[in-house]
Amino acid sequence: MKGLNPRQKKLIYLLVQNENYLPVSFYSEKLEKSSRTIYSDLDKIQKLLPKEQLVLEKKPRIGIQLRGTVEAKLQFLEQITGISTTAVAESQERQWLITKQLLIDEETVTQKMLAQQFHVSPSSIVSDLDKIIEKYRLALEPSKRGTKMVGSEEEIQNSLFRFCEDYLDYHGINPEELFQETTQELLSKLFTPSLVKMTLQQIEELKLQTEFCFPEHYVKSLVIRLLVFCFRLSRGQHIEEKDFLFDQIKLIDTYLIANELLEKIAKVHGFEYNEEDISYVNRQLVGYGVKPNTNGQKNYERYARTIQKILENMSEIMEVDFLADTQLAERFASHFVPMIYRLKMGIAITNPLVEEIRSQYAVTFSATRYALANTEEQLNVQFNDEEVALVAMYFQVSLEKSQNGKKILIVCPNGVGTSELIFNKIKRILPAQDTAEITTLDKLYRKNLNNVDLIISSVKLEAIHKPIIQVSTLVTQEDIKNITALYSNLFYSEESNEAEILEFPFLKNVIDLDFIYTQKRFSDKQTCLNWLIDRLEKKKVVTKAFRKEVFAREAIGETALATGVAIPHASPQNVLQTRIAIVTLDQPIIWDQRKVHYVLLMCIAKEDRNLVRGVITDIHKIVQSEKQLKCFFAEKDAIAIYNDISRR
């Protein structure tokens, strides 16, 4: 506009930028002119303001402020200066940049520093910070050095999520434009471009596959949530998962997707992640509506009979009618076809939960392995432990749903060894459908206890509103009685008997004195297995194919337990007679990187599938602790071992 010099145009720019009342001295300092000159400039600007839209308001001893809507201010600025409103670094843009410095760059800032950086007054910065706190629910902490971001990791990530959502919404990015180059460029102003590209690429690829449904209206939120989470992981920050394993397994459908997402992004960007990080991403997938696609049932017709057979086998083994659970059938079918594809193509998966599942759900895991083994020859695949563990969780969820098992936490602050001791003793007296899980004192107070039915602890617990039984570290007989009595009072209407003496109703019927070998010495597990299988073949207990399958299974999964025992096995079709062969070793051998003192080779014939669960349960009564193993096998001859088991 004619008649205005560059200084006066700059003054208009500053008036538009600053939303608060500021003294004339502020503007005179910025423009390096006297207050008298600024007053003169203001009078001239006042005459140019559009009537009824903008007012230059003056308050004595407070300052001056340009009053009006943002649109009117920007329109006036564009008219006066010729600068497009899109190029103006207005207050919104400034607030984004300040938020980025605090949330993403994790800087400590001062009002003076920000005022100088953005050429505005400190009071404008105070106003900006107030708006940032309100809009993004960001917690800030002032100190002598300045202001910095504070809060839990979950709170920080939630603030980051709101910030990114606001940023994309302002720029008009809708779900259809989410995977376009424009979005990538916008987000790359906030985060590392390669991380943005990889995150968008992974979600886009998942959207294109047909095995899972991705609700369109949630995809944008999911992208932001995953991007924020991976960015914070790259900074070494983790959100602790609030649920225990027995709650996490209910979300097993999408666990593999969560694992693959993190695995691919972490591989490119070199950050580390753990099981809890996978569980968190998995919970986000479920929360944003990602679920198996059950509409394309024609894709499963080819394997329908096989799936039915596995459900029948598991029903027979576990003595539970899994066929009646229609939800299980649908979920398992959705998982089955991709699993077979992975196995046929040699695509290995990583299942970080496999050790926990194998330990805490030993019976279900072993039963699943046997049920799947019956289909391996027909499908021309071999199921590894990672895949078996995933399938086992579908059945475990169904089992808990049908039998209403209790969720029990075992708390011990003195380390894993002590916790395992308590865990192994307590598991013996709990009903088979109950689930026990070990946790630390620290995690107990941080995690969600809503689904926990009972807590057993070796230390006194405060402010926990759940039934608690305190036991000694060694779990005495008196402790066992107390647990049994309280369990009975809590969950049974009738009185319960005292802890039962250990019995082996199934195992005693399948052991044979001819197949118990004591104090043998072998150089390695291969020599041991060959020696043992030679004797089984000679007595026509197994087929010639049994040996090859045992070694194939050893190659794809671990059969040695931490307690010092190995339990090798093969599928029922290569077993002619049901037997459990037992070997005690004069000296331990290395087996799956563990020292093994005892070997129990499981041979269960096809016609005896109904014995699998019982035999596995009985075996786990013995192998769950080193003390128990020594009690039954150490320094005993074959007759003593046979009598001890068969008479129970």
Side-chain angles (χ1 to χ4, degrees), residues 362-363 366-367 370 602 611-621:
V363 173
S366 299
Y370 268 87
M602 290 181 62
L611 299 177
V612 171
R613 183 189 182 189
V615 170
I616 292 170
T617 301
D618 284 354
I619 287 176
H620 278 278
K621 291 175 186 176

Side-chain angles (χ1 to χ4, degrees), residues 535-589:
R535 277 141 189 81
L536 292 170
E537 283 183 2
K538 189 175 181 180
K539 295 289 182 75
K540 300 192 183 308
V541 173
V542 299
T543 68
K544 293 289 184 182
F546 182 84
R547 186 190 309 267
K548 182 180 178 181
E549 191 183 352
V550 167
F551 280 107
R553 289 194 175 279
E554 289 295 319
I556 62 173
E558 296 181 2
T559 57
L561 304 181
T563 50
V565 62
I567 312 176
H569 59 279
S571 59
Q573 60 258 32
N574 291 317
V575 178
L576 303 173
Q577 302 176 53
T578 297
R579 293 287 187 277
I580 303 298
I582 300 171
V583 179
T584 69
L585 302 173
D586 179 36
Q587 292 182 351
I589 57 177

Side-chain angles (χ1 to χ4, degrees), residues 398-425:
S398 178
L399 194 65
E400 291 177 8
K401 185 170 62 175
S402 65
Q403 297 188 352
N404 196 27
K406 306 303 177 188
K407 310 292 191 306
I408 298 166
L409 283 182
I410 298 170
V411 184
C412 182
N414 298 326
V416 175
T418 311
S419 300
E420 290 285 353
L421 176 65
I422 297 174
F423 176 79
N424 290 329
K425 285 195 174 185

Side-chain angles (χ1 to χ4, degrees), residues 4-12 31 33 37-38 41:
L4 289 176
N5 60 38
R7 182 190 68 250
Q8 291 163 344
K9 291 180 180 180
K10 180 69 180 292
L11 178 56
I12 293 172
L31 298 172
K33 294 293 179 180
T37 301
I38 298 301
D41 289 341

Side-chain angles (χ1 to χ4, degrees), residues 449-489:
L449 301 178
N450 289 343
N451 293 326
V452 175
D453 297 298
L454 175 65
I455 299 173
I456 300 172
S457 174
S458 62
V459 293
K460 188 175 181 180
L461 302 176
E462 303 287 350
I464 297 289
H465 304 295
K466 290 286 179 180
I468 299 170
I469 303 174
Q470 188 171 341
V471 297
S472 66
T473 305
L474 297 177
V475 189
T476 64
Q477 199 60 35
E478 189 65 30
D479 290 327
I480 297 293
K481 290 180 181 179
N482 291 337
I483 293 169
T484 307
L486 182 56
Y487 189 100
S488 173
N489 291 335

